[in-house]
Amino acid sequence: MNKTFWCNCLSMERKFRFKPLVRKYSKMTGDLKVLTEDKQQSGTSYKAGLRQANNFGKDVHVVDMRSDTITRPSPEMRRAMAEAEVGDDVYAEDPTVLKLQKRVTEITGMEDSLFVSSGTMGNLIAVLAHCWERGSEIIIGDLSHIIKYEQGGASQFGGICLRTVKNKDDGTFDIEEMLSKVRDPVDIHNPITRLICIENTHNVCGGRVLPLEWIDQVVAVSTQRNIPVHVDGARLMNAAVHLNVPPSRLLRGCASVSICLSKGLGAPVGSVLSGSKTFIQRALRLRKSLGGGMRQVGILAAAGLLAVNNMVDRLADDHLHAKMIGEAINSMNSENMQVDMSALESNILMVETKRPLTPEDVAARLSQITEKESEELREKIVVRCFGMTRTRMRITTHADLSRQDIEAAIRKLKYIIAEYDSVS
């Protein structure tokens, strides 16, 4: 072992908190001077990543895979926005918004649609519209986006109870458990179960695509009890591409869906909520009360219209890129990092880390460049991602990533995996 190796161990201990594995070597090195001084910020947890400035030099190849929400409008999309025909959407007079809503209605197979500012607003409006009376209750997976990342908005604004069932690894939940949570409406002590929510694809579970058979079962038992089903379909198009079925097939029997335009579809802003005409009339009132009534918003709807017409088929590229990364990680046969390829179904890749190495350790190292690394790789690569759970790091592929970006990310990942394995 040479001096450079031991110095690299010391550097890893200082930067990545990988102490249990590194310290047993560093004790042997005495007071060696660390050769390189890292000047990049090391916090790449989700919150730190949001705060962190993109202050990398021009000679650094930055591959940002924190989320598919970071995509920027393409030149074609910017032209469509600039040339959009507009009107006052509060008066339902914006022709581009009307075109977008009509197109999404066709895609979902529902009766009507409404353009809203975000997926969180779409889900909130949907829950409020279905649970028109205070004291209502919804049944929802405990790892759902509505539960984890939307501030309990249904409770804040609607006085609605959120009753959870345990999500399985594939994003589904046990239907018998769901049924056990349905309240007896005759019992005056109970809130009334008004809605069941599912999420497709499932973000926290790793972009999992809900099985068609399971969706059909949920809809069937819910219909028997006269309880509607809302779909958080932020990435519904990814599910449709994976299963090679129309989006409407994923929504058969469901009462409503919120589809995000600004994730894999690449638009800068917005979601579309779809359902029955009565549902959308309620949603329209709720959107106004939440401050979501926008005026000449066809400028944004134009990007959404292009997204749903032109950006769906290319989602297959994102899925392929995620598989390339997963296969590259597994090709290292590392004990420290692995990917369950059987669970990789869309554009979200979960990298399992073996403790004491943590997802935050790995994400921090991916955002840094050492002197030794740049010499050996002959390039400077930063990969941006974050820890999703105590043992999982999330990597998300999207429209702004080229094949060259993916290959660069793979080189960086392989390098740091070898680095960790050398001291384990």
Side-chain angles (χ1 to χ4, degrees):
M1 300 286 183
N2 59 31
K3 179 177 179 180
T4 302
F5 173 81
W6 298 119
C7 289
N8 192 41
C9 289
L10 281 173
S11 180
M12 287 175 69
E13 175 177 12
R14 178 174 59 83
K15 295 173 189 170
F16 316 134
R17 297 173 291 123
F18 199 6
K19 296 178 182 177
L21 294 183
V22 175
R23 188 167 286 143
K24 63 183 179 183
Y25 298 112
S26 61
K27 284 180 179 177
M28 302 170 60
T29 66
D31 294 325
L32 285 177
K33 181 179 179 182
V34 176
L35 296 179
T36 61
E37 188 71 22
D38 186 276
K39 297 182 180 179
Q40 300 291 347
Q41 300 180 37
S42 61
T44 49
S45 67
Y46 180 67
K47 293 179 181 177
L50 291 176
R51 294 192 296 267
Q52 188 176 27
N54 229 339
N55 58 351
F56 305 106
K58 292 183 178 179
D59 61 337
V60 178
H61 187 168
V62 179
V63 186
D64 196 336
M65 296 194 288
R66 287 171 296 164
S67 177
D68 46 8
T69 61
I70 68 164
T71 56
R72 293 156 295 181
S74 65
E76 182 184 12
M77 195 172 281
R78 289 176 185 270
R79 282 193 299 272
M81 295 169 71
E83 298 169 2
E85 186 180 0
V86 299
D88 192 323
D89 185 49
V90 173
Y91 289 113
E93 294 176 356
D94 190 303
T96 307
V97 172
L98 295 175
K99 287 178 183 177
L100 171 63
Q101 292 173 170
K102 180 180 179 182
R103 179 68 183 120
V104 175
T105 300
E106 294 169 352
I107 290 171
T108 60
M110 295 194 174
E111 293 180 0
D112 206 353
S113 297
L114 183 68
F115 183 51
V116 297
S117 64
S118 69
T120 295
M121 177 178 276
N123 284 331
L124 176 58
I125 289 174
V127 173
L128 294 175
H130 286 298
C131 302
W132 200 240
E133 299 175 359
R134 294 181 68 86
S136 299
E137 185 170 73
I138 70 172
I139 298 175
I140 187 168
D142 64 339
L143 297 179
S144 67
H145 195 278
I146 291 174
I147 287 288
K148 292 181 68 66
Y149 303 117
E150 297 181 15
Q151 285 194 12
S155 297
Q156 286 193 56
F157 301 108
I160 298 164
C161 303
L162 308 176
R163 197 172 199 198
T164 61
V165 291
K166 183 177 176 56
N167 275 120
K168 298 180 181 179
D169 289 343
D170 64 355
T172 66
F173 46 73
D174 184 77
I175 294 178
E176 289 302 319
E177 182 188 359
M178 179 195 80
L179 291 175
S180 73
K181 298 295 179 76
V182 174
R183 303 285 190 172
D184 177 3
V186 177
D187 189 337
I188 62 172
H189 301 90
N190 290 337
I192 297 176
T193 306
R194 298 285 187 187
L195 183 67
I196 292 168
C197 296
I198 61 178
E199 182 178 334
N200 198 12
T201 64
H202 201 289
N203 176 23
V204 174
C205 292
R208 297 301 298 270
V209 177
L210 302 183
L212 286 172
E213 298 81 3
W214 182 82
I215 297 173
D216 291 342
Q217 289 174 357
V218 170
V219 169
V221 297
S222 301
T223 301
Q224 289 172 3
R225 289 157 181 80
N226 200 30
I227 302 172
V229 175
H230 170 68
V231 181
D232 177 358
R235 297 181 176 90
L236 187 79
M237 299 305 183
N238 292 86
V241 167
H242 173 74
L243 293 175
N244 193 28
V245 298
S248 58
R249 174 62 187 91
L250 301 170
L251 302 171
R252 184 183 295 171
C254 297
S256 59
V257 62
S258 177
I259 297 175
C260 189
L261 304 172
S262 61
K263 291 188 170 68
L265 299 184
V269 178
S271 288
V272 179
L273 187 61
S274 297
S276 70
K277 288 188 178 295
T278 301
F279 170 82
I280 293 299
Q281 281 302 309
R282 282 188 174 183
L284 185 61
R285 290 186 60 83
L286 289 162
R287 186 186 72 174
K288 181 64 175 173
S289 70
L290 293 171
M294 298 175 282
R295 302 294 179 173
Q296 288 71 34
V297 74
I299 293 172
L300 299 178
L305 186 60
L306 188 145
V308 296
N309 284 333
N310 297 1
M311 299 291 282
V312 174
D313 290 343
R314 61 144 305 279
L315 292 173
D317 295 336
D318 297 342
H319 298 184
L320 175 61
H321 287 163
K323 284 184 169 61
M324 288 173 60
I325 295 170
E327 289 169 354
I329 291 171
N330 285 352
S331 72
M332 299 295 289
N333 296 314
S334 172
E335 292 186 359
N336 290 308
M337 279 177 271
Q338 296 176 347
V339 175
D340 180 359
M341 295 300 293
S342 67
L344 179 53
E345 297 174 333
S346 60
N347 67 320
I348 297 177
L349 171 75
M350 291 295 193
V351 182
E352 295 281 350
T353 61
K354 181 180 178 182
R355 297 190 73 81
L357 183 65
T358 69
E360 287 76 15
D361 294 333
V362 180
R365 178 64 185 89
L366 286 167
S367 74
Q368 298 164 336
I369 303 167
T370 65
E371 185 177 300
K372 179 174 181 287
E373 170 195 337
S374 60
E375 289 175 356
E376 293 185 1
L377 292 180
R378 296 186 178 181
E379 59 185 333
K380 297 178 180 179
I381 305 169
V382 161
V383 175
R384 306 189 75 182
C385 53
F386 61 85
M388 193 77 168
T389 70
R390 291 177 67 251
T391 60
R392 284 183 168 188
M393 181 179 72
R394 191 183 86 164
I395 290 175
T396 308
T397 55
H398 53 79
D400 278 9
L401 297 176
S402 66
R403 181 62 65 90
Q404 290 72 29
D405 292 322
I406 299 302
E407 291 170 350
I410 287 172
R411 290 193 295 274
K412 176 81 172 195
L413 281 159
K414 283 187 169 183
Y415 185 87
I416 68 111
I417 290 171
E419 190 174 66
Y420 281 122
D421 288 350
S422 70
V423 294
S424 61

